[in-house]
Amino acid sequence: MGDQYRVTFAGFDADTDGQNAIERLAMKLGVSTQKVEAFTQGKPLFGSSEKNKCLKQAKLLAIYGFQSKIQEIQTSSSNVANHAANERVFEALDYITSSLIRIEEKLEDLEQRIDGQQKADDDKEEEQWQSDDLFDELDLDSEPKPKSKKLLYTLLSILFVLLIVLGFSLAFPEMVQF
């Protein structure tokens, strides 16, 4: 990572009208005049960049009558730590991506193996269905056990009683109060 620089405002040329220069520069850059005015008050107009780019920015400002200085920006340890953290995140994402690709390849291999085994199993099943050995093991003559209807009758009787109570309460609401 190279050194970073920023263009700062130093003043106007002697023969330059400040307001006119601000309006022309704002129109050229496609920014608001307030942003250019803020630049004349010490706020940055351009982001930090390489020295060559800052020199080009200073030449542009000189065309419109601005005097400027190029200042080196001190990189703080937090920027270095932030950059290192970003690098670790990118390395982790790269590892995850490559792991996902390997997993996807293994899944494709397993699908191909399973498809091959299923075809072989289907062929074996077709052969087995042709033999009567499977039917010999089954007890096809047994009748299903009759289910008890005691629970059904109990539920129906409770429902019937509740319907009678509901009808009575609707017919005579003054007699039945809950």
Side-chain angles (χ1 to χ4, degrees):
M1 187 164 112
D3 294 335
Q4 294 291 309
Y5 296 89
R6 176 168 285 152
V7 177
T8 58
F9 178 73
F12 289 106
D13 288 341
D15 59 341
T16 303
D17 177 29
Q19 190 60 34
N20 188 20
I22 289 173
E23 290 174 2
R24 288 186 3 212
L25 182 63
M27 186 179 296
K28 171 67 177 173
L29 296 176
V31 297
S32 67
T33 56
Q34 290 84 8
K35 186 163 183 164
V36 178
E37 287 174 0
F39 172 67
T40 61
Q41 296 168 359
K43 304 259 179 163
L45 180 62
F46 304 106
S48 61
S49 60
E50 303 272 333
K51 190 170 187 175
N52 290 336
K53 189 172 183 179
C54 286
L55 289 172
K56 291 178 184 178
Q57 293 168 352
K59 286 179 185 178
L60 175 71
L61 291 172
I63 292 171
Y64 289 97
F66 288 86
Q67 294 176 352
S68 59
K69 297 186 289 185
I70 297 176
Q71 292 181 338
E72 184 175 0
I73 298 175
Q74 300 296 327
T75 57
S76 65
S77 62
S78 65
N79 285 345
V80 173
N82 191 17
H83 181 70
N86 287 341
E87 286 296 321
R88 286 193 304 270
V89 168
F90 285 127
E91 288 174 4
L93 288 174
D94 185 44
Y95 176 76
I96 290 170
T97 304
S98 61
S99 296
L100 287 174
I101 291 171
R102 286 193 304 267
I103 289 171
E104 184 179 359
E105 290 172 353
K106 287 182 181 181
L107 283 175
E108 288 175 0
D109 290 342
L110 287 174
E111 285 177 358
Q112 290 175 357
R113 288 180 189 171
I114 289 173
D115 288 342
Q117 286 179 353
Q118 284 179 347
K119 287 179 183 177
D121 290 344
D122 289 343
D123 293 342
K124 288 180 182 178
E125 285 180 16
E126 288 177 12
E127 292 173 9
Q128 289 177 353
W129 281 105
Q130 293 176 356
S131 67
D132 292 332
D133 294 340
L134 291 175
F135 294 112
D136 292 340
E137 295 175 5
L138 297 176
D139 186 17
L140 298 176
D141 297 333
S142 65
E143 294 285 326
K145 295 181 180 179
K147 296 182 180 176
S148 173
K149 295 185 179 183
K150 184 177 179 181
L151 179 64
L152 178 65
Y153 291 136
T154 305
L155 289 174
L156 284 175
S157 61
I158 291 173
L159 180 65
F160 186 69
V161 170
L162 287 174
L163 285 174
I164 291 173
V165 170
L166 178 65
F168 188 72
S169 67
L170 289 176
F172 306 105
E174 64 276 352
M175 293 180 70
V176 179
Q177 293 180 359
F178 294 100

